C-alpha cells in the first residue's frame, strides 16, 4: 500500500501515521487536502450544522437517559425530577427538546437546498438516497422521543400515530398489538420506544458516515451546479470552509440558544405538561410542528376508493411524501443541475416550498371546512409537483446559458 | 480450484441427484433453522403473559341506575357501559332502518337491550368520545361525540356523522348474573 502519508516533526505523530494513517484521513476529509468548490454559499452550511446538532442531541440524550425512568408511573415525574432536582437538568433537557426542532429546521433547509441546486443529480444519487433514509429515521426517532415524557400529548400522539398501523389490510390490528406489546399504548410501549429512541441516533450516525463518504467521492455540488474542472475551481476545505462552517455554528447557536434560554417551550404543546391519562383524550391532538405537513397529508384522504379505506390511503400518502424524495434524481430530468438557470422550474419550486409551509399550517388546524378542502388541494400540489410538474418542466423548459466553469463565473463577478 | 469436489463429477459414488439433494436439504434446514431463530426476537415484542392475564375484567353493574353510564378499563382500554332508557332503546331500534355507514341492527349489538356495552375508542384515530358524564356533549344522536375530529355516535354506538369509518366496537362479554358482567 502506498498511501501518501503525512510527515510531522513530532516522531510520535509519525509513528502513528505510519501504522494508522488517521491524520491524512482527517486532512483529506475536512482539512487542506480536501478540495472544495470555491463558490459555495451559506446554503452549504446546513449539512455541517445538522451534524453538529446530531452530536448535541446524542450528548444531551445520553445524559438525560441517566436520570430518566421509562415507566408509565414514573416517566412524567422523572422528567420533572430532571427539571427541578438534577444539576443543570433544565438546561440539558431544554437543549435536547429544542435541539429536535432545530435539527428539523436545519435538515428541511438542507433538503430544499438540494432540490433547488440539483444536488441529487448524477453522480450524487446515492448520496441523496442515503439522505432521504436519514430523514426518514430522524422522523421516527423524533416521534419516539416525544412519547418519552409521557404527557397527554405524548400518550395521545403515540395512540393516533401507532393506530395508523391498523390501516394495514388483514394483519393491521395484530400488527398494532405487536407494536404496542399490549392492547393499548402502555408501559411495554414506553419501554420499547425508549430502547429504540436510544438506538436510532446511532443508526443515523452510521448513515451520516456513509452520507459524508459518498459526498467526498464526488465532492460538494455548488450554486452553479456545474462540475469542478480543475484546481482553479477549488479551494482547500481548511481553512476556508472550516472557518465558514464555524461562523455558521456561531450564528446558529445564537438562534438555538435564544429558544433554549428565553422561549424553551415555544415549539412545544402545553398539554404535554399534563401527565398521560389513558381515559381522557385532549380535545385537539396535534403533532410537533415538524410533522404538521405530513399530518395534513394524512388527513387529506377522507373517501374510500375501490375498497381502499381513506385511513390506509392517508397513511400510504404520508409515508410516500417522504420516500418519494428518493426518486428525485430521476423525476428531475433536467440536464442542468442548478435552478438558477431554470426559470420555470424555479417558479414551481418556490410554490412547492410555500405549499409545504401551508401544509404545515393546515396540519395544525381542526379538521373542519375550509381546512379539509384546502388540505386536499395542498396535498394534491405536493404530489403533482413531484410526479407531474417537475418531470415535465425539467425536460421541456428552455434553460439560461450556463457558465463555462466555476472560475470563469467567479472571476466575471 | 480444479480439483475441488464441485468440479470433479467423476468421483466414485457421485451423481447429480444426490448432490442436489444434499445441497437442497442443507439450504432447507438452514432456512427453517434461521426462521426458528428469528421468531423469538419477533415474538419477544408481543404482549407478555402478565399483560394477557389482564384480558378479562368483571364489573358490578348493580349501582348503575337507569340512564347512567360507567367507564371501566379492560385491557387498558375504556369500555362504556350504559344503562339505556326505554326511549334510547326505542330510538336505537327505530334507527336500524336509517341510512347507516356501518349497517348493524341494534339487536346485534346488545345481549340485553337495557345494557349497551361498547369499547370507548373512536374508530377514526383512537380518541375517547365524550358523552359518559352528565354535561358532556352526546352528539346529534344522543350517544357519544368525539371531540377530536367530530364523529357522532347514536344510542347504539353506531357511527352516524363525521370521519370515523366504523361503529364503536362491541367487546366480547357475558352476563354472569343480573348484576355482574365479565368482559373479555
Amino acid at each position: 500500500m502506498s498511501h501518501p502519508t503525512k510527515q510531522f516533526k513530532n516522531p510520535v505523530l509519525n509513528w502513528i501515521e505510519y501504522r494508522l494513517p488517521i491524520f491524512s484521513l482527517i486532512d483529506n476529509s475536512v482539512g487542506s487536502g480536501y478540495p472544495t468548490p470555491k463558490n459555495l454559499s451559506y446554503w452549504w452550511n446546513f449539512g455541517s450544522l445538522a451534524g453538529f446538532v446530531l452530536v448535541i442531541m446524542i450528548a444531551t440524550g445520553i445524559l438525560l437517559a441517566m436520570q430518566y425512568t421509562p415507566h408509565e408511573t414514573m416517566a412524567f415525574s422523572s422528567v420533572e425530577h430532571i427539571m427541578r432536582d438534577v444539576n443543570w437538568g433544565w438546561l440539558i433537557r431544554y437543549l435536547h427538546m429544542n435541539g429536535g426542532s432545530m435539527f428539523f429546521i436545519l435538515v428541511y433547509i438542507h433538503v430544499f437546498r438540494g432540490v433547488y441546486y440539483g444536488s441529487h443529480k448524477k453522480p450524487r444519487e446515492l448520496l441523496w438516497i442515503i439522505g432521504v433514509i436519514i430523514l426518514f429515521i430522524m422522523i421516527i426517532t423524533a416521534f419516539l422521543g416525544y412519547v418519552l415524557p409521557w404527557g397527554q400529548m405524548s400518550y395521545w400522539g403515540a395512540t393516533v400515530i401507532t393506530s395508523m398501523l391498523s390501516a394495514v389490510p388483514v394483519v393491521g390490528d395484530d400488527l398494532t398489538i405487536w407494536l404496542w406489546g399490549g392492547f393499548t399504548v402502555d408501559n411495554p410501549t414506553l419501554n420499547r420506544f425508549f430502547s429504540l429512541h436510544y438506538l436510532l441516533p446511532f443508526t443515523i450516525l452510521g448513515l451520516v458516515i456513509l452520507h459524508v463518504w459518498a459526498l467526498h467521492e464526488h465532492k460538494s455540488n455548488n450554486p452553479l451546479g456545474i462540475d469542478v474542472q480543475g484546481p482553479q475551481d477549488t479551494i482547500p476545505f481548511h481553512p476556508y470552509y472550516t472557518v465558514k462552517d464555524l461562523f455558521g455554528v456561531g450564528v446558529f447557536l445564537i438562534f438555538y440558544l435564544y429558544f433554549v434560554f428565553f422561549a424553551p417551550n415555544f415549539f412545544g404543546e402545553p398539554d404535554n405538561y399534563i401527565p398521560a391519562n389513558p381515559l381522557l383524550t385532549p380535545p385537539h391532538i396535534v403533532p410537533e410542528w415538524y410533522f404538521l405537513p405530513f399530518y395534513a397529508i394524512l388527513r387529506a384522504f377522507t373517501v374510500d376508493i375501490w375498497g381502499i379505506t381513506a385511513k390506509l390511503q392517508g397513511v400510504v400518502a404520508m409515508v410516500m411524501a417522504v420516500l418519494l424524495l428518493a426518486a428525485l434524481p430521476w423525476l428531475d430530468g433536467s440536464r442542468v443541475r442548478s435552478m438558477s438557470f431554470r426559470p420555470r422550474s424555479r417558479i414551481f419550486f418556490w410554490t412547492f416550498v410555500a405549499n409545504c409551509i401551508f401544509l404545515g399550517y393546515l396540519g395544525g388546524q381542526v379538521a373542519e371546512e375550509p381546512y379539509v378542502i384546502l388540505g386536499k388541494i395542498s396535498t394534491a400540489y405536493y404530489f403533482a409537483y413531484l410526479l407531474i410538474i417537475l418531470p415535465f418542466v425539467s425536460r421541456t423548459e428552455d434553460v439560461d446559458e450556463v457558465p463555462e466553469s466555476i472560475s470563469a463565473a467567479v472571476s466575471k463577478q | 480450484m480444479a480439483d475441488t469436489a464441485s468440479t470433479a463429477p467423476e468421483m466414485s459414488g457421485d451423481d447429480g441427484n444426490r448432490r442436489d439433494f444434499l445441497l437442497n436439504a442443507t439450504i432447507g434446514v438452514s432456512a427453517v433453522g434461521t426462521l426458528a431463530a428469528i421468531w423469538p426476537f419477533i415474538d419477544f415484542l408481543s404482549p407478555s403473559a402478565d399483560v394477557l392475564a389482564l384480558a378479562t375484567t368483571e364489573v358490578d353493574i348493580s349501582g348503575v341506575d337507569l340512564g347512567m353510564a360507567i367507564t371501566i378499563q379492560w385491557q387498558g382500554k375504556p369500555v362504556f357501559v350504559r344503562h339505556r332508557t326505554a326511549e334510547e332503546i326505542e330510538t336505537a331500534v327505530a334507527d336500524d332502518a336509517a341510512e347507516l355507514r356501518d349497517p348493524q341492527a341494534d339487536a346485534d349489538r346488545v345481549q340485553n337491550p337495557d345494557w349497551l356495552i361498547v369499547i370507548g375508542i373512536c374508530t377514526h384515530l383512537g380518541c375517547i368520545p365524550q358523552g359518559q358524564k352528565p354535561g358532556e356533549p352526546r352528539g346529534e344522536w344522543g350517544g357519544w361525540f368525539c371531540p377530536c375530529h367530530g364523529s357522532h355516535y347514536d344510542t347504539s354506538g353506531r357511527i352516524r356523522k363525521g370521519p370515523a369509518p366504523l361503529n364503536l366496537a362491541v367487546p366480547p362479554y357475558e352476563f354472569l348474573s343480573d348484576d355482574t358482567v365479565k368482559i373479555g
Side-chain angles (χ1 to χ4, degrees):
Chain A
M1 306 291 268
S2 61
H3 286 304
T5 48
K6 283 174 80 80
Q7 289 298 316
F8 299 97
K9 281 184 192 147
N10 185 332
V12 177
L13 296 185
N14 278 330
W15 188 90
I16 295 172
E17 175 73 11
Y18 181 72
R19 286 154 184 84
L20 177 76
I22 189 165
F23 300 112
S24 46
L25 178 77
I26 292 170
D27 191 53
N28 293 332
S29 303
V30 291
S32 53
Y34 181 57
T36 315
K38 60 184 178 184
N39 60 337
L40 297 189
S41 67
Y42 279 112
W43 295 114
W44 265 257
N45 276 56
F46 290 88
S48 69
L49 283 176
F52 175 68
V53 174
L54 177 62
V55 172
I56 290 180
M57 292 305 274
I58 290 178
T60 52
I62 287 172
L63 289 177
L64 289 172
M66 294 175 187
Q67 294 282 0
Y68 168 78
T69 312
H71 188 275
E72 55 166 343
T73 58
M74 290 180 271
F76 188 90
S77 324
S78 74
V79 172
E80 288 309 307
H81 151 79
I82 289 169
M83 292 301 289
R84 292 150 201 257
D85 304 336
V86 177
N87 297 329
W88 302 101
W90 60 273
L91 177 68
I92 302 299
R93 171 161 178 265
Y94 279 155
L95 282 172
H96 197 75
M97 213 171 105
N98 287 282
S101 284
M102 295 302 133
F103 209 169
F104 277 96
I105 291 175
L106 297 171
V107 165
Y108 284 154
I109 294 174
H110 188 60
V111 171
F112 281 127
R113 188 270 287 160
V115 178
Y116 184 91
Y117 290 109
S119 299
H120 47 77
K121 293 172 85 67
K122 196 188 170 193
R124 300 185 182 84
E125 298 96 325
L126 205 49
L127 166 61
W128 174 261
I129 291 169
I130 294 167
V132 174
I133 298 170
I134 292 173
L135 174 63
F136 193 71
I137 298 183
M138 223 178 108
I139 287 171
I140 295 171
T141 310
F143 162 70
L144 296 174
Y146 192 64
V147 177
L148 303 184
W150 212 239
Q152 271 291 66
M153 225 29 119
S154 297
Y155 183 88
W156 289 101
T159 299
V160 169
I161 301 298
T162 52
S163 293
M164 284 177 195
L165 212 59
S166 67
V168 175
V170 190
V171 293
D173 287 331
D174 291 332
L175 209 56
T176 315
I177 288 172
W178 174 75
L179 181 76
W180 285 335
F183 301 101
T184 49
V185 172
D186 210 337
N187 196 47
T189 324
L190 176 59
N191 267 292
R192 62 190 58 187
F193 279 18
F194 178 57
S195 173
L196 293 172
H197 183 70
Y198 207 115
L199 164 76
L200 290 182
F202 296 97
T203 315
I204 292 177
L205 190 65
L207 287 165
V208 166
I209 291 170
L210 293 183
H211 193 64
V212 172
W213 185 6
L215 171 72
H216 283 210
E217 189 61 27
H218 290 284
K219 313 289 188 281
S220 291
N221 183 30
N222 62 81
L224 294 171
I226 53 180
D227 288 330
V228 166
Q229 285 154 16
Q232 73 280 8
D233 289 342
T234 66
I235 45 177
F237 191 85
H238 180 74
Y240 296 101
Y241 287 113
T242 42
V243 79
K244 192 170 179 175
D245 279 349
L246 270 176
F247 176 69
V249 165
V251 173
F252 165 71
L253 278 176
I254 293 171
F255 181 76
Y256 175 25
L257 296 181
Y258 168 78
F259 287 103
V260 170
F261 291 125
F262 299 104
N265 290 297
F266 176 80
F267 294 106
E269 283 293 325
D271 272 21
N272 221 27
Y273 284 105
I274 303 168
N277 180 353
L279 294 181
L280 182 73
T281 312
H284 187 199
I285 300 177
V286 279
E288 286 283 82
W289 71 266
Y290 39 80
F291 293 149
L292 290 175
F294 303 110
Y295 196 54
I297 291 174
L298 170 78
R299 298 194 302 184
F301 295 83
T302 52
V303 184
D304 297 359
I305 302 169
W306 302 317
I308 302 169
T309 61
K311 194 160 136 184
L312 181 60
Q313 294 168 34
V315 173
V316 171
M318 190 178 73
V319 175
M320 287 312 292
V322 182
L323 294 188
L324 203 56
L325 294 173
L328 212 63
W330 297 276
L331 295 172
D332 181 344
S334 177
R335 60 187 173 82
V336 175
R337 285 198 193 103
S338 174
M339 287 196 191
S340 304
F341 308 108
R342 298 157 57 186
R344 202 174 301 163
S345 288
R346 209 156 57 211
I347 295 169
F348 287 110
F349 169 81
W350 285 112
T351 317
F352 178 69
V353 174
N355 185 57
C356 287
I357 294 168
F358 186 56
L359 271 174
Y361 163 77
L362 292 172
Q365 303 305 312
V366 288
E368 287 167 12
E369 296 299 350
Y371 305 114
V372 175
I373 184 70
L374 288 173
K376 288 177 194 230
I377 296 169
S378 203
T379 300
Y381 183 77
Y382 186 95
F383 288 103
Y385 175 78
L386 292 174
L387 293 173
I388 302 164
I389 298 172
L390 184 64
F392 180 74
V393 171
S394 63
R395 285 170 173 84
T396 54
E397 74 183 321
D398 294 326
V399 293
D400 296 342
E401 196 190 335
V402 178
E404 252 170 61
S405 71
I406 293 172
S407 56
V410 170
S411 53
K412 212 194 292 180
Q413 280 171 1
Chain B
M1 293 294 286
D3 293 334
T4 54
S6 61
T7 56
E10 304 302 325
M11 280 172 72
S12 64
D14 180 58
D15 65 78
N17 287 336
R18 183 176 159 171
R19 190 166 292 277
D20 287 350
F21 171 77
L22 285 173
L23 189 63
N24 290 336
T26 310
I27 292 172
V29 170
S30 335
V32 171
T34 307
L35 286 178
I38 289 172
W39 178 246
F41 288 79
I42 294 171
D43 199 38
F44 184 90
L45 295 171
S46 301
S48 55
D50 58 329
V51 172
L52 292 174
L54 298 173
T56 62
T57 305
E58 283 183 28
V59 203
D60 178 8
I61 53 172
S62 58
V64 187
D65 293 336
L66 197 67
M68 275 180 60
I70 55 165
T71 306
I72 53 132
Q73 250 182 313
W74 169 64
Q75 294 187 344
K77 290 181 273 205
V79 172
F80 295 164
V81 180
R82 190 188 273 199
H83 195 170
R84 300 194 292 181
T85 61
E87 200 183 324
E88 284 174 337
I89 299 170
E90 207 176 301
T91 348
V93 173
D95 281 356
D96 285 353
E99 195 180 312
L100 297 169
R101 182 174 300 164
D102 181 13
Q104 208 178 8
D106 183 58
D108 296 335
R109 296 178 53 76
V110 290
Q111 291 178 17
N112 172 352
D114 289 344
W115 297 95
L116 177 67
I117 301 179
V118 288
I119 295 177
I121 294 177
C122 182
T123 55
H124 180 226
L125 285 172
C127 298
I128 297 176
Q130 294 184 341
Q132 284 294 88
K133 292 180 192 148
E136 280 183 356
R138 289 188 159 188
E140 292 175 26
W141 280 268
W144 290 271
F145 171 73
C146 182
C148 289
H149 305 103
S151 292
H152 297 252
Y153 296 92
D154 66 13
T155 51
S156 188
R158 289 174 298 205
I159 179 67
R160 302 301 292 268
K161 186 181 171 187
L166 300 171
N167 302 332
L168 293 179
V170 178
Y173 66 90
E174 59 177 314
F175 284 91
L176 298 177
S177 68
D178 284 351
D179 288 342
T180 318
V181 190
K182 188 179 89 174
I183 297 171

